[in-house]
Amino acid sequence: MAAGKGRKLVIVESPGKVKSIASYLGGEYEVEASIGHIRDLPNPSELPADMKKGPYGRFAVDVDNGFDPYYVVDADKKKKVAELRRKLKDASELYLATDEDREGEAIAWHLLEALKPRVPVKRMVFHEITREAIQRAVNDTREIDTAMVDAQETRRILDRLYGYEVSPVLWRKVRQGLSAGRVQSVATRMVVERERERMAFVRASYWDVEGEFTPESAGQHFTARLSQVDGARVATGRDFSDAGVLTGRGTVQLDEGLARRIAEAVVATTAVVSDVQEKPYTRRPSAPFTTSTLQQEASRKLRLSSKNAMRVAQRLYEGGYITYMRTDSTTLSDAALTAARSQARDLYGAEYVPESPRRYEKKVKNAQEAHEAVRPAGDRFRSPAQVAGELRGEDFALYELIWKRTVASQMADARGSTATVKLAVDTGIEGAQQVEFSASGTIITFRGFLAAYEEGRDDEAAARAQAAEEERRLPKVSEGVQLEVVRAEADGHETSPPARYTEATLVKAMEERGIGRPSTYASTIGTIQDRGYVFTKGQALVPTWLAFAVTRLLEEHFGNLVDYEFTASMEEDLDRIANGDEGRVDWLKRFYFGDEATSGAGLRALVDDLGEIDAREISTIPLGEGMVVRVGRYGPYVEEVVPGGVDLSTGEVAEGAEVPAAPRRATITDDVAPDEMTPAKARELLEAAADDGKVLGQDPATGHDIVAKAGRYGPYVTEVLPENAEEAPAKGRKKAVKAKPRTASLFQDMDLSTIDLDAALRLLSLPRVVGADAEGVEITAQNGRYGPYLKKGTDSRSLTSEQQLFDITLDEALAIYAQPKQRGRAAAAAPLKELGEDPASGKPVVVKDGRFGPYVTDGETNATLRKDDDPESITPERGFELLAEKRAKGPTTRKRAVKKTAKKTTKRAPAKKATAKKA
């Protein structure tokens, strides 16, 4: 419906909010979406020709004149901006209803600058999409908060300066195309430092004894562990340093022999209860979710990545199910407190709700962005059972998690008692005469909030141990009572290296250090994976060797930029700017040009005075024993810098040792994590690389040896040509060229250890001539990068299996070519999954596998799945969301050269801003 004169135009960020908000506001309002940011700093290459040599030419920011930015409307948003301008012509008022955080405030300001409205403008903010909240928001508007806009703009310029100054150094000294970032580089350093700790870790072994005991008068058995030997505490894993040294004071480290002797002596005697203690047990509920704790718990309980958790939360927020999901606050409104308490009382009983509401006061760094905690939307919460018919899959699971956490936060403490029993045993062993065993058990007498929710833990082993202890009931015994020893066994243990970060623990660590903000955690973790600095192994985040090289360069030459405290202080400074306590220009001057008052060097001085950087040394990671890892242009490899037979300290060559003329090298395969790359592993790779492969036999036609090898990209077979073998000169060439050996990859169902000569010769015979068509054009069967296919001139058709390369007949090939050519595979594959009817188009939506990966389609609109979307587990809601985003963006058009864009660009004019009106 077209907007009539006098209708009020409301602009939100996301298309997902439009329908709900429009229904709550009524017919006098028209709601449209900007689909995120509409303007940004252009790349310097995209600047108009007359500006490329001016002050904006390097960064699109004039650093010498107040760090004035030059903005352009994004190419894919010009159509949207033109549409909003048309809508605005017929509007009587403009409501800017973007999110109430820095990014949302900046989007509102950019809309104001780009649309240049001639009607009254109001800033409308809300934290949940319910009828009451939207109607309150439209009647309680404010002006744009220019201090928050300044903070966002400072952050954007800061990131541009950081990236454009530091990234080129990485290109020159490590590898072309790398990037550095204010938060991503620090997060990468955290992951690298944890891996360094694992690489330097020295395992220590220790033993203890577990016994099973029972009172002679009862049949209740319980286990206890050896805790003391002759008054000294028995060492456990936490008593050892990362270097494998015992650091615990007053502890004794048991070896296998002593542990076994103690076990044998204990089982042959009786134990006496030496001490019994019982203490009250109280456990309090966790606070409602902030952004970071939501991401952590979604990772632990639902196995959602940070990016996926935020994406699902965004859908729930836009659907009116939860409040705004980007927040540092643990506060609940009075209405939310009442809703949570009444729901807990109705579901669990009055005794499960404390007399007064629980208030979780967390110090929030930026009060302007300190909304409520993430909670179910509305003044009365809908229970999971009430939304079960509307939400499915991940959406339902995350809503249920948020609902449980919110309700549990207003419930009573869990109560019980913890009993500890100590048992004395006289072994008669020299050096271990008197030993003591200990056992603890907790009895929960009142579950309280545990009836609704229990927070997950990152250490699964510790979580299981705690759960076992809380469910353990010890027998009632008193001091002096003798116990029968049912069994006693010696157990050996090894200390474990520090656990790698998971997404949940990295988010937690970043929050504790003050690095980044809730809205940036998911994108930061996604960025360091997309840039090739980190990969996942299970749930663990593992740094690549490339990350080691980049981190070392930044640590040695840009130490401040990856310093944890410095990065956290920058976040605090941005908060000060957002609160109006500091000026944007003064702060950027100190960051870029330096601070004369403190003699602190700015970013420009750091880059200008780098001095000599030894690129080879930066990209070298020592392993020890004469082995190093180097990060080369084509990937990491191991190199033997001190050959076997050469003394590491003196360089002397042992008698009879053979020293190679050039250092031995071997490519590091992707399945080897940095902490697994020991000197022994390095030697293993070098030996494998030196192996010329397994000779399968000789080709009867040529007499050449046929060899099977393991390569970087998988197993393959090849022929060994005589030295100086040449090919006949090609047509148009006078000289012969050096001959290339025939090479072929093994099929997926072949094994390097079992392949024989016949199979290898068949592989080397490819491509195979199948025959010719009626016009005499030759058809060949070939194995390519994307699988097996037929080729006739320039026309290629995919085959369904590798075996067809040998089996397909000419008639079968001609039949394939007789079919109309289809994009991708020759035959349309069945959908990977059916998602149901799209609510917008009413057509069935399916997941398909395309040439460039899986995608969803309703037959008219196609949308590629994102990196974190699993084709097998994607929910219908996620599929509909992707299609809606694609429709909102409009058809993709090729980028054309723009001759003149000055009219569609804007320089930042701070002086035009209105005075900020605090919310």
Side-chain angles (χ1 to χ4, degrees):
M1 183 191 296
K5 192 68 178 175
R7 289 183 77 185
K8 301 169 184 179
L9 180 62
V10 179
I11 302 179
V12 297
E13 285 181 42
S14 169
K17 303 177 185 177
V18 171
K19 187 176 179 181
S20 297
I21 293 177
S23 69
Y24 297 149
L25 290 177
E28 62 179 302
Y29 294 86
E30 182 171 16
V31 184
E32 291 290 333
S34 69
I35 318 176
H37 279 277
I38 60 164
R39 302 198 310 173
D40 196 8
L41 301 173
N43 293 325
S45 61
E46 298 170 346
L47 285 168
D50 60 335
M51 296 189 69
K52 288 183 178 178
K53 294 182 180 179
Y56 297 91
R58 189 174 178 196
F59 305 116
V61 176
D62 186 352
V63 297
D64 295 314
N65 291 288
F67 291 87
D68 186 41
Y70 185 83
Y71 291 114
V72 299
V73 174
D74 296 334
D76 62 345
K77 293 297 178 65
K78 289 179 180 178
K79 183 179 177 182
K80 172 56 69 175
V81 171
E83 179 187 342
L84 292 174
R85 283 176 179 153
R86 286 196 302 272
K87 301 277 187 183
L88 189 57
K89 284 182 181 179
D90 298 324
S92 60
E93 288 182 296
L94 174 62
Y95 288 78
L96 299 173
T98 50
D99 293 340
E100 194 187 17
D101 55 16
R102 291 179 201 162
E103 295 300 318
E105 208 72 19
I107 291 172
W109 181 83
H110 281 290
L111 284 166
L112 191 64
E113 292 290 303
L115 299 179
K116 303 188 185 307
R118 297 179 181 178
V119 296
V121 178
K122 297 178 179 179
R123 179 77 171 99
M124 171 181 166
V125 295
F126 46 86
H127 307 135
E128 58 184 345
I129 302 176
T130 60
R131 184 177 300 278
E132 296 78 10
I134 296 302
Q135 291 178 349
R136 278 197 301 265
V138 79
N139 292 316
D140 186 19
T141 58
R142 60 171 174 80
E143 296 177 9
I144 290 176
D145 189 329
T146 54
M148 287 180 72
V149 177
D150 273 347
Q152 188 277 342
E153 186 170 83
T154 303
R155 194 273 308 160
R156 183 69 186 94
I157 293 173
L158 166 63
D159 289 346
R160 173 58 63 96
L161 297 175
Y162 192 124
Y164 276 43
E165 288 283 24
V166 180
S167 295
V169 180
L170 302 181
W171 302 346
R172 295 193 303 270
K173 298 301 180 181
V174 182
R175 187 186 295 174
Q176 194 70 25
L178 297 178
S179 72
R182 175 178 57 92
V183 179
Q184 76 171 55
S185 296
V186 176
T188 301
R189 182 191 175 198
M190 292 173 69
V191 179
V192 168
E193 283 196 334
R194 179 58 55 87
E195 197 72 8
R196 287 172 178 163
E197 293 172 6
R198 291 174 64 88
M199 294 170 73
F201 185 80
V202 178
R203 292 184 183 274
S205 64
Y206 62 95
W207 286 72
D208 64 9
V209 179
E210 181 184 79
E212 186 174 346
F213 305 87
T214 181
E216 293 181 353
S217 58
Q220 186 178 355
H221 294 200
F222 68 97
T223 57
R225 284 205 168 268
L226 183 66
S227 56
Q228 286 191 15
V229 173
D230 285 343
R233 184 171 59 82
V234 175
T236 59
R238 64 176 179 269
D239 295 309
F240 294 87
S241 68
D242 286 353
V245 177
L246 182 64
T247 56
R249 293 185 176 180
T251 58
V252 57
Q253 181 180 359
L254 298 187
D255 58 21
E256 180 179 4
L258 182 55
R260 291 194 183 281
R261 290 200 305 275
I262 292 174
E264 291 171 1
V266 168
V267 82
T269 184
T270 57
V272 177
V273 177
S274 57
D275 186 35
V276 178
Q277 293 184 3
E278 192 166 328
K279 297 178 180 178
Y281 170 87
T282 302
R283 188 172 167 190
R284 292 178 173 80
S286 300
F289 282 132
T290 62
T291 301
S292 64
T293 55
L294 175 62
Q295 291 176 15
Q296 292 168 46
E297 197 73 340
S299 174
R300 298 182 193 115
K301 287 184 177 289
L302 307 181
R303 295 294 187 257
L304 289 178
S305 68
S306 297
K307 189 181 292 185
N308 270 348
M310 293 308 293
R311 191 156 54 207
V312 175
Q314 179 86 29
R315 285 204 298 269
L316 293 174
Y317 166 63
E318 291 175 357
Y321 292 100
I322 64 170
T323 55
Y324 191 54
M325 64 286 163
R326 294 188 182 95
T327 176
D328 282 326
S329 176
T330 55
T331 302
L332 293 177
S333 66
D334 289 341
L337 289 171
T338 301
R341 287 168 58 81
S342 63
Q343 205 150 43
R345 188 180 296 109
D346 293 343
L347 290 171
Y348 302 105
E351 68 274 19
Y352 281 83
V353 181
E355 291 184 6
S356 58
R358 291 184 182 271
R359 299 186 183 274
Y360 299 86
E361 303 298 335
K362 176 185 175 185
K363 184 180 179 183
V364 179
K365 292 179 180 292
N366 189 348
Q368 286 187 340
E369 296 185 68
H371 312 315
E372 273 193 86
V374 185
R375 63 165 176 86
D379 294 340
R380 290 185 61 84
F381 299 162
R382 286 177 286 178
S383 70
Q386 290 173 311
V387 301
E390 305 167 23
L391 298 176
R392 288 180 287 180
E394 295 171 340
D395 296 51
F396 177 80
L398 192 65
Y399 179 82
E400 184 180 40
L401 192 70
I402 294 168
W403 178 87
K404 285 182 175 180
R405 176 87 164 217
T406 307
V407 171
S409 73
Q410 292 305 310
M411 293 176 67
D413 295 344
R415 297 189 297 273
S417 61
T418 298
T420 302
V421 176
K422 294 183 179 180
L423 313 175
V425 180
D426 188 344
T427 63
I429 300 174
E430 187 177 349
Q433 181 76 31
Q434 294 290 332
V435 299
E436 181 183 86
F437 286 78
S438 297
S440 293
T442 298
I443 302 170
I444 304 293
T445 56
F446 176 70
R447 289 187 58 76
F449 75 92
L450 292 175
Y453 177 83
E454 184 171 3
E455 187 177 40
R457 294 183 59 168
D458 297 309
D459 187 338
E460 292 186 3
R464 286 193 297 270
Q466 180 180 341
E469 183 175 314
E470 289 182 356
E471 296 170 0
R472 188 179 189 194
R473 186 184 294 269
L474 296 178
K476 287 286 185 182
V477 293
S478 55
E479 288 186 34
V481 171
Q482 288 194 336
L483 303 180
E484 179 186 346
V485 182
V486 178
R487 65 172 178 86
E489 296 175 356
D491 289 333
H493 309 274
E494 276 193 339
T495 53
S496 299
R500 289 191 178 101
Y501 286 114
T502 61
E503 289 198 14
T505 56
L506 183 59
V507 165
K508 184 178 181 180
M510 290 173 67
E511 183 185 34
E512 289 172 348
R513 291 180 182 271
I515 295 167
R517 282 292 177 263
S519 58
T520 66
Y521 295 143
S523 60
T524 297
I525 293 173
T527 297
I528 63 178
Q529 294 181 67
D530 294 341
R531 296 281 190 265
Y533 296 141
V534 171
F535 66 93
T536 56
K537 198 171 184 179
Q539 282 200 299
L541 298 174
V542 185
T544 61
W545 293 109
L546 179 63
F548 276 76
V550 168
T551 299
R552 181 177 175 186
L553 187 150
L554 294 175
E555 286 174 335
E556 294 184 6
H557 299 279
F558 297 95
N560 249 5
L561 297 186
V562 289
D563 179 77
Y564 300 135
E565 291 185 5
F566 179 75
T567 304
S569 71
M570 281 197 289
E571 294 290 353
E572 292 169 1
D573 290 342
L574 291 174
D575 290 339
R576 285 172 53 79
I577 295 171
N579 291 330
D581 298 330
E582 184 155 359
R584 175 184 75 87
V585 176
D586 290 341
W587 189 90
L588 283 168
K589 280 182 179 177
R590 289 199 303 275
F591 172 78
Y592 191 64
F593 294 113
D595 189 349
E596 293 181 3
T598 61
S599 302
L603 176 61
R604 188 162 78 171
L606 285 175
V607 175
D608 291 344
D609 300 331
L610 278 176
E612 289 297 320
I613 297 179
D614 187 336
R616 182 178 173 84
E617 181 60 26
I618 282 291
S619 296
T620 300
I621 301 98
L623 300 177
E625 299 181 21
M627 301 288 180
V628 298
V629 169
R630 299 196 196 277
V631 180
R633 182 178 179 184
Y634 301 107
Y637 61 92
V638 64
E639 180 176 311
E640 185 181 47
V641 292
V642 181
V646 177
D647 190 289
L648 290 172
S649 57
T650 65
E652 294 181 2
V653 180
E655 187 176 346
E658 294 184 9
V659 179
R664 294 194 298 163
R665 294 173 179 167
T667 298
I668 299 175
T669 53
D670 295 338
D671 61 334
V672 181
D675 74 329
E676 298 167 2
M677 183 51 66
T678 61
K681 183 66 177 179
R683 280 190 288 272
E684 179 186 322
L685 293 178
L686 291 171
E687 294 301 327
D691 185 3
D692 289 333
K694 180 174 68 172
V695 177
L696 303 176
Q698 291 184 333
D699 184 348
T702 63
H704 298 158
D705 283 344
I706 305 299
V707 177
K709 291 185 173 184
R712 182 180 183 187
Y713 301 106
Y716 67 98
V717 292
T718 186
E719 63 178 335
V720 180
L721 299 180
E723 289 187 19
N724 302 320
E726 293 182 343
E727 292 179 350
K731 189 175 181 180
R733 287 188 178 181
K734 294 182 179 180
K735 292 184 178 181
V737 296
K738 186 175 180 180
K740 294 182 179 178
R742 292 175 296 158
T743 300
S745 296
L746 269 61
F747 287 174
Q748 290 183 354
D749 59 352
M750 292 180 175
D751 188 89
L752 185 64
S753 62
T754 59
I755 189 169
D756 57 19
L757 179 62
D758 290 341
L761 290 174
R762 292 188 79 195
L763 290 173
L764 293 173
S765 70
L766 297 173
R768 178 176 74 92
V769 177
V770 178
D773 66 4
E775 298 175 359
V777 180
E778 189 175 78
I779 301 174
T780 58
Q782 306 190 30
N783 206 8
R785 181 180 180 186
Y786 300 107
Y789 66 99
L790 293 174
K791 187 171 185 182
K792 183 178 73 167
T794 58
D795 190 355
S796 300
R797 304 294 177 95
S798 297
L799 296 173
T800 56
S801 71
E802 291 172 317
Q803 190 58 39
Q804 281 185 291
L805 292 169
F806 299 126
D807 298 345
I808 193 166
T809 65
L810 178 59
D811 289 341
E812 291 170 338
L814 291 173
I816 291 174
Y817 275 103
Q819 300 294 323
K821 186 169 184 179
Q822 298 178 4
R823 188 172 181 175
R825 293 279 176 189
L832 301 177
K833 189 173 184 180
E834 297 180 356
L835 301 180
E837 285 191 3
D838 182 82
S841 68
K843 297 185 176 181
V845 177
V846 295
V847 183
K848 289 189 172 183
D849 192 11
R851 182 180 178 188
F852 302 105
Y855 65 98
V856 289
T857 180
D858 64 352
E860 291 183 352
T861 306
N862 298 341
T864 303
L865 267 61
R866 306 293 193 269
K867 184 178 179 181
D868 293 325
D869 291 322
D870 183 0
E872 294 182 2
S873 61
I874 187 171
T875 62
E877 291 78 12
R878 176 60 179 156
F880 304 153
E881 178 186 21
L882 290 171
L883 290 174
E885 288 177 1
K886 187 64 182 289
R887 290 190 197 100
K889 287 182 178 179
T892 303
T893 56
R894 288 190 176 183
K895 191 174 181 181
R896 296 179 181 177
V898 180
K899 292 181 180 179
K900 201 168 185 179
T901 58
K903 290 183 180 179
K904 294 186 179 181
T905 58
T906 307
K907 294 182 185 180
R908 175 75 189 280
K912 292 183 181 180
K913 287 183 183 176
T915 304
K917 182 179 180 182
K918 304 295 180 184

